[in-house]
Amino acid sequence: MVDLAFLLLTFFVLTSTFSKPKTMEINFPADPKDHSKDIRINNALTFIMTKDNGIFYYAGEFYPEGNDKGKPATTLIKTDFSPEGLHKLLLDRNKPTIDAIDKLTEKLKHKEIVDTTYKRLAVGEKGKKEALTVLVKADDKAIYKNIIDVIDELNICNIGKYAIVDMGQKELDLLNATNK
């Protein structure tokens, strides 16, 4: 009987999982079927990562110098990982979504909605068309850790729509000119 107990104990100890692996969800945009269509960017921030923990960003669409649409050229704004930098910027730009999720959290606390409904509605708020979209781009000098830190900050600030995308040549030229 004792041998059987030890065999069962050994079996359960060896087949159990002690810790679950931790992963991060990263969304990559789908390749558009029709490359000729002009894709419109609504309520978007684009972060460009570079050397020395550099984070530059711009809002909306990218317009190079002397573009054919007659729009003013995009300028890059520098920020950092401080509480008054990236975190504050994301909270300010994502305020409507955060307020909506806070209202849902209050309903959950007062047991007006159940947990599964809360999660579904919170994901719906993050995915609305008006919600902030963030594009993360990096040059070849960027540190991988900084990209992960930006994605962590996006999750902390309830950004539901974000993607890591390739940087265009004109953006790289602007970054090099700005980062001299």
Side-chain angles (χ1 to χ4, degrees):
M1 219 39 180
V2 172
D3 289 341
L4 182 62
F6 279 113
L7 280 174
L8 286 173
L9 179 65
T10 304
F11 173 77
F12 287 119
V13 166
L14 293 177
T15 59
S16 65
T17 304
F18 293 106
S19 65
K20 301 247 183 228
K22 296 180 181 175
T23 60
M24 178 183 296
E25 180 181 332
I26 298 177
N27 300 319
F28 290 96
D31 194 26
K33 293 177 183 162
D34 186 6
H35 291 282
S36 64
K37 284 187 175 178
D38 193 23
I39 299 173
R40 186 103 179 107
I41 299 174
N42 295 324
N43 195 21
L45 277 178
T46 301
F47 290 106
I48 299 177
M49 313 300 294
T50 189
K51 64 183 177 181
D52 300 328
N53 298 330
I55 307 173
F56 292 90
Y57 72 94
Y58 64 88
E61 294 187 49
F62 179 79
Y63 294 108
E65 188 72 40
N67 61 73
D68 55 349
K69 294 183 180 179
K71 302 278 186 177
T74 299
T75 56
L76 296 179
I77 304 165
K78 188 169 178 67
T79 190
D80 54 24
F81 286 104
S82 72
E84 293 300 315
L86 180 65
H87 185 74
K88 184 174 182 340
L89 172 69
L90 290 172
L91 288 178
D92 290 345
R93 294 294 302 260
N94 199 36
K95 186 157 180 38
T97 302
I98 292 171
D99 291 343
I101 291 174
D102 287 345
K103 288 178 185 174
L104 291 173
T105 304
E106 285 300 314
K107 286 183 176 182
L108 180 66
K109 284 181 185 177
H110 291 85
K111 299 188 189 290
E112 294 174 20
I113 58 175
V114 293
D115 187 37
T116 54
T117 304
Y118 167 78
K119 288 178 184 176
R120 180 177 50 79
L121 293 174
V123 167
E125 287 294 331
K126 291 178 184 179
K128 282 186 175 178
K129 188 175 182 178
E130 305 82 36
L132 182 65
T133 302
V134 175
L135 303 175
V136 179
K137 301 179 179 187
D139 67 1
D140 56 348
K141 299 171 191 151
I143 301 169
Y144 188 72
K145 176 192 172 299
N146 290 344
I147 296 170
I148 298 300
D149 288 344
V150 167
I151 294 172
D152 283 341
E153 196 64 44
L154 294 174
N155 288 325
I156 291 167
C157 295
N158 286 320
I159 308 294
K161 299 185 300 184
Y162 59 88
I164 299 174
V165 293
D166 292 332
M167 187 182 323
Q169 184 61 44
K170 293 183 180 183
E171 288 173 314
L172 183 60
D173 293 342
L174 179 61
L175 176 65
N176 290 334
T178 304
N179 202 21
K180 284 185 180 179

XYZ file of all heavy atoms in Angstrom, residues 125-178:
418
model
N -14.867 48.245 -25.889
C -14.495 49.655 -25.764
C -13.113 49.908 -26.369
O -12.891 50.908 -27.045
C -14.501 50.099 -24.295
C -15.871 50.242 -23.691
C -16.683 51.364 -24.319
O -16.114 52.349 -24.807
O -17.923 51.232 -24.320
N -12.178 49.000 -26.121
C -10.826 49.162 -26.658
C -10.790 49.024 -28.183
O -9.922 49.585 -28.832
C -9.889 48.113 -26.062
C -9.606 48.296 -24.602
C -8.715 47.173 -24.125
C -8.461 47.205 -22.656
N -7.601 46.085 -22.223
N -11.738 48.281 -28.731
C -11.734 48.026 -30.162
C -12.579 48.975 -30.988
O -12.639 48.846 -32.209
N -13.233 49.944 -30.345
C -14.078 50.882 -31.091
C -13.248 51.675 -32.094
O -12.055 51.890 -31.908
C -14.768 51.858 -30.133
C -15.948 51.262 -29.416
C -16.657 52.313 -28.613
C -17.905 51.757 -27.978
N -18.579 52.749 -27.146
N -13.929 52.132 -33.129
C -13.250 52.897 -34.180
C -12.644 54.187 -33.627
O -11.594 54.633 -34.084
C -14.251 53.216 -35.292
C -13.632 53.820 -36.514
C -14.641 54.005 -37.618
C -13.968 54.560 -38.849
N -14.903 54.703 -39.963
N -13.291 54.791 -32.633
C -12.805 56.056 -32.065
C -11.649 55.850 -31.084
O -11.006 56.807 -30.679
C -13.930 56.781 -31.314
C -15.177 57.043 -32.123
C -16.115 55.837 -32.196
O -16.226 55.087 -31.209
O -16.722 55.649 -33.256
N -11.408 54.608 -30.672
C -10.353 54.331 -29.695
C -8.979 54.581 -30.321
O -8.799 54.491 -31.540
C -10.458 52.897 -29.205
N -8.030 54.890 -29.477
C -6.672 55.185 -29.925
C -6.019 53.956 -30.549
O -6.122 52.853 -30.025
C -5.830 55.672 -28.740
C -4.393 56.064 -29.029
C -4.347 57.279 -29.950
C -3.659 56.363 -27.736
N -5.354 54.179 -31.669
C -4.568 53.141 -32.336
C -3.102 53.558 -32.253
O -2.781 54.716 -32.502
C -4.972 53.008 -33.818
O -6.355 52.700 -33.892
C -4.175 51.921 -34.503
N -2.244 52.620 -31.892
C -0.814 52.929 -31.766
C -0.027 52.021 -32.694
O -0.229 50.806 -32.717
C -0.339 52.748 -30.309
C 1.164 52.941 -30.211
C -1.053 53.709 -29.386
N 0.854 52.643 -33.455
C 1.785 51.913 -34.313
C 3.177 52.056 -33.710
O 3.600 53.162 -33.377
C 1.767 52.477 -35.731
C 0.405 52.500 -36.425
C 0.512 53.200 -37.770
C -0.146 51.113 -36.579
N 3.875 50.948 -33.558
C 5.225 50.959 -32.993
C 6.185 50.583 -34.112
O 6.040 49.545 -34.750
C 5.349 49.973 -31.818
C 6.767 49.983 -31.257
C 4.331 50.290 -30.733
N 7.159 51.464 -34.336
C 8.159 51.244 -35.375
C 9.536 51.395 -34.746
O 9.690 52.123 -33.767
C 7.992 52.257 -36.508
C 6.618 52.185 -37.167
C 6.468 53.201 -38.261
C 5.087 53.077 -38.895
N 4.944 53.928 -40.069
N 10.513 50.728 -35.306
C 11.863 50.805 -34.752
C 12.884 50.817 -35.874
O 12.694 50.160 -36.896
C 12.125 49.622 -33.829
N 13.955 51.592 -35.656
C 15.047 51.538 -36.621
C 16.008 50.420 -36.210
O 15.777 49.719 -35.221
C 15.740 52.898 -36.745
C 16.486 53.317 -35.500
O 16.499 52.563 -34.510
O 17.068 54.418 -35.501
N 17.080 50.237 -36.949
C 17.994 49.131 -36.667
C 18.866 49.371 -35.431
O 19.584 48.474 -35.001
C 18.869 48.831 -37.883
C 19.650 50.035 -38.355
O 19.365 51.159 -37.901
O 20.556 49.863 -39.193
N 18.785 50.543 -34.828
C 19.577 50.846 -33.633
C 18.761 50.736 -32.353
O 19.274 50.935 -31.261
C 20.153 52.259 -33.746
C 21.070 52.429 -34.934
C 21.427 53.875 -35.131
C 22.113 54.032 -36.469
N 21.907 55.325 -37.052
N 17.468 50.438 -32.471
C 16.582 50.372 -31.305
C 16.899 49.146 -30.460
O 17.367 48.123 -30.954
C 15.128 50.329 -31.756
N 16.621 49.259 -29.186
C 16.837 48.176 -28.237
C 15.523 47.400 -28.088
O 14.463 47.998 -27.890
C 17.278 48.735 -26.871
C 18.573 49.530 -27.042
C 17.466 47.623 -25.862
C 18.945 50.324 -25.824
N 15.606 46.091 -28.192
C 14.419 45.244 -28.114
C 13.672 45.455 -26.795
O 12.446 45.469 -26.763
C 14.832 43.773 -28.286
C 13.667 42.842 -28.401
C 12.894 42.822 -29.558
C 13.331 41.980 -27.367
C 11.829 41.970 -29.683
C 12.265 41.124 -27.483
C 11.510 41.116 -28.646
O 10.445 40.284 -28.752
N 14.392 45.629 -25.706
C 13.784 45.849 -24.391
C 12.862 47.069 -24.411
O 11.790 47.058 -23.810
C 14.875 46.039 -23.346
C 14.345 46.363 -21.961
C 15.486 46.832 -21.062
C 15.013 47.348 -19.748
N 14.137 48.476 -19.785
N 13.265 48.124 -25.107
C 12.440 49.333 -25.158
C 11.130 49.093 -25.906
O 10.098 49.662 -25.554
C 13.208 50.480 -25.795
C 14.315 50.980 -24.900
O 14.357 50.693 -23.711
N 15.238 51.713 -25.474
N 11.164 48.269 -26.935
C 9.930 47.947 -27.656
C 8.986 47.180 -26.736
O 7.781 47.461 -26.677
C 10.252 47.153 -28.943
C 11.072 48.035 -29.886
C 8.973 46.665 -29.620
C 11.656 47.318 -31.061
N 9.507 46.239 -25.980
C 8.697 45.485 -25.020
C 8.158 46.426 -23.941
O 6.993 46.319 -23.541
C 9.513 44.336 -24.383
C 9.955 43.351 -25.456
C 8.722 43.643 -23.288
C 8.844 42.695 -26.223
N 8.979 47.380 -23.485
C 8.519 48.341 -22.480
C 7.376 49.203 -23.013
O 6.432 49.516 -22.287
C 9.675 49.236 -22.020
C 10.679 48.495 -21.154
O 10.345 47.393 -20.665
O 11.802 49.005 -20.979
N 7.443 49.587 -24.279
C 6.359 50.370 -24.877
C 5.084 49.528 -24.944
O 3.993 50.004 -24.614
C 6.751 50.898 -26.277
C 5.540 51.432 -27.025
C 7.793 51.982 -26.147
N 5.202 48.271 -25.333
C 4.026 47.400 -25.400
C 3.438 47.180 -24.011
O 2.214 47.177 -23.841
C 4.382 46.076 -26.103
C 4.717 46.359 -27.567
C 3.235 45.068 -25.997
C 5.272 45.192 -28.318
N 4.298 47.025 -23.005
C 3.802 46.925 -21.626
C 3.034 48.181 -21.234
O 1.965 48.114 -20.619
C 4.959 46.714 -20.642
C 5.489 45.296 -20.645
O 4.767 44.386 -21.114
O 6.622 45.093 -20.180
N 3.564 49.333 -21.596
C 2.907 50.601 -21.270
C 1.561 50.715 -21.999
O 0.596 51.239 -21.447
C 3.819 51.772 -21.633
C 3.416 53.080 -21.016
C 3.508 53.083 -19.502
O 4.500 52.579 -18.941
O 2.565 53.596 -18.872
N 1.491 50.218 -23.217
C 0.226 50.216 -23.951
C -0.815 49.375 -23.217
O -1.988 49.762 -23.127
C 0.431 49.682 -25.374
C 1.300 50.522 -26.304
C 1.539 49.790 -27.615
C 0.692 51.882 -26.555
N -0.404 48.235 -22.696
C -1.331 47.388 -21.942
C -1.752 48.046 -20.632
O -2.917 47.967 -20.244
C -0.713 46.020 -21.683
C -0.640 45.183 -22.934
O -1.514 45.241 -23.780
N 0.418 44.405 -23.068
N -0.829 48.709 -19.964
C -1.141 49.399 -18.713
C -2.157 50.512 -18.955
O -3.063 50.729 -18.161
C 0.143 49.962 -18.065
C 1.016 48.815 -17.552
C -0.178 50.947 -16.945
C 2.420 49.232 -17.173
N -2.023 51.207 -20.075
C -2.896 52.352 -20.394
C -4.149 51.952 -21.175
O -4.817 52.803 -21.755
C -2.103 53.407 -21.162
S -0.786 54.143 -20.194
N -4.469 50.662 -21.198
C -5.692 50.155 -21.841
C -5.788 50.478 -23.324
O -6.872 50.762 -23.829
C -6.943 50.655 -21.124
C -7.162 49.960 -19.811
O -6.955 48.759 -19.709
N -7.571 50.706 -18.803
N -4.670 50.447 -24.028
C -4.692 50.624 -25.478
C -5.018 49.262 -26.084
O -4.278 48.303 -25.906
C -3.334 51.130 -26.021
C -2.865 52.374 -25.279
C -3.405 51.345 -27.520
C -3.705 53.592 -25.473
N -6.117 49.184 -26.790
C -6.555 47.901 -27.322
C -6.084 47.626 -28.730
O -6.015 46.483 -29.163
N -5.765 48.683 -29.471
C -5.364 48.510 -30.868
C -3.942 49.021 -31.038
O -3.707 50.222 -30.994
C -6.316 49.265 -31.796
C -7.756 48.789 -31.702
C -8.659 49.468 -32.700
C -8.702 50.951 -32.524
N -9.621 51.641 -33.411
N -3.025 48.086 -31.208
C -1.645 48.470 -31.468
C -0.992 47.405 -32.336
O -1.442 46.260 -32.375
C -0.847 48.691 -30.187
C -0.780 47.494 -29.272
C 0.211 46.539 -29.410
C -1.698 47.331 -28.249
C 0.280 45.452 -28.573
C -1.637 46.253 -27.395
C -0.651 45.311 -27.557
O -0.588 44.228 -26.732
N 0.026 47.812 -33.052
C 0.727 46.883 -33.927
C 2.176 47.326 -34.088
O 2.481 48.509 -34.008
C 0.048 46.829 -35.294
N 3.028 46.353 -34.311
C 4.424 46.620 -34.645
C 4.519 46.541 -36.160
O 4.149 45.521 -36.753
C 5.365 45.605 -33.981
C 5.224 45.692 -32.466
C 6.791 45.828 -34.421
C 6.003 44.645 -31.719
N 4.959 47.621 -36.767
C 5.020 47.681 -38.231
C 6.396 48.162 -38.672
O 7.159 48.713 -37.881
C 3.915 48.598 -38.807
C 2.542 48.019 -38.565
C 3.994 49.987 -38.237
N 6.679 47.959 -39.933
C 7.955 48.403 -40.506
C 7.949 49.910 -40.719
O 6.926 50.500 -41.025
C 8.206 47.711 -41.849
C 8.461 46.222 -41.685
O 8.957 45.817 -40.619
O 8.149 45.467 -42.627
N 9.120 50.489 -40.581
C 9.273 51.925 -40.789
C 9.563 52.188 -42.268
O 10.348 51.474 -42.889
C 10.435 52.448 -39.937
C 10.563 53.944 -39.963
S 11.969 54.593 -39.017
C 12.060 53.565 -37.619
N 8.918 53.216 -42.802
C 9.163 53.604 -44.186
C 10.467 54.380 -44.320
O 10.992 54.933 -43.344
N 10.989 54.440 -45.517
C 12.260 55.131 -45.763
C 12.161 56.618 -45.444
O 13.081 57.197 -44.882
C 12.719 54.923 -47.214
C 14.067 55.534 -47.509
C 15.186 54.945 -46.663
O 15.256 53.730 -46.489
N 16.053 55.786 -46.126
N 11.045 57.238 -45.777
C 10.894 58.667 -45.508
C 10.823 58.944 -44.012
O 11.333 59.959 -43.534
C 9.676 59.221 -46.240
C 9.874 59.200 -47.740
C 8.727 59.797 -48.478
C 9.012 59.734 -49.973
N 7.998 60.339 -50.775
N 10.210 58.029 -43.263
C 10.199 58.178 -41.801
C 11.606 58.024 -41.237
O 12.005 58.761 -40.329
C 9.265 57.139 -41.167
C 7.804 57.401 -41.394
C 6.936 56.272 -40.908
O 7.258 55.097 -41.190
O 5.924 56.562 -40.258
N 12.349 57.080 -41.769
C 13.727 56.871 -41.321
C 14.581 58.098 -41.625
O 15.391 58.521 -40.791
C 14.313 55.621 -41.981
C 15.723 55.231 -41.553
C 15.787 54.957 -40.061
C 16.192 54.017 -42.341
N 14.391 58.689 -42.793
C 15.132 59.904 -43.140
C 14.798 61.044 -42.179
O 15.691 61.770 -41.729
C 14.819 60.325 -44.579
C 15.341 59.324 -45.603
O 16.223 58.507 -45.250
O 14.851 59.358 -46.754
N 13.507 61.204 -41.846
C 13.103 62.237 -40.899
C 13.680 61.966 -39.512
O 14.149 62.873 -38.842
C 11.572 62.330 -40.832
C 11.011 63.361 -39.854
C 11.454 64.772 -40.218
C 9.490 63.272 -39.812
N 13.679 60.703 -39.098
C 14.245 60.335 -37.793
C 15.724 60.659 -37.749
O 16.210 61.233 -36.769
C 14.018 58.848 -37.513
C 14.638 58.299 -36.242
C 13.996 58.940 -35.016
C 14.506 56.790 -36.173
N 16.454 60.324 -38.789
C 17.897 60.596 -38.841
C 18.168 62.098 -38.816
O 19.099 62.564 -38.178
C 18.533 59.946 -40.059
C 18.565 58.442 -39.938
O 18.573 57.904 -38.836
N 18.577 57.753 -41.060
N 17.340 62.866 -39.512
C 17.505 64.323 -39.513
C 17.180 64.921 -38.147
O 17.829 65.874 -37.700
C 16.609 64.953 -40.583
N 16.189 64.380 -37.460
C 15.765 64.896 -36.152
C 16.733 64.475 -35.059
O 16.983 65.208 -34.125
C 14.354 64.375 -35.808
O 13.470 64.743 -36.855
C 13.853 64.956 -34.510
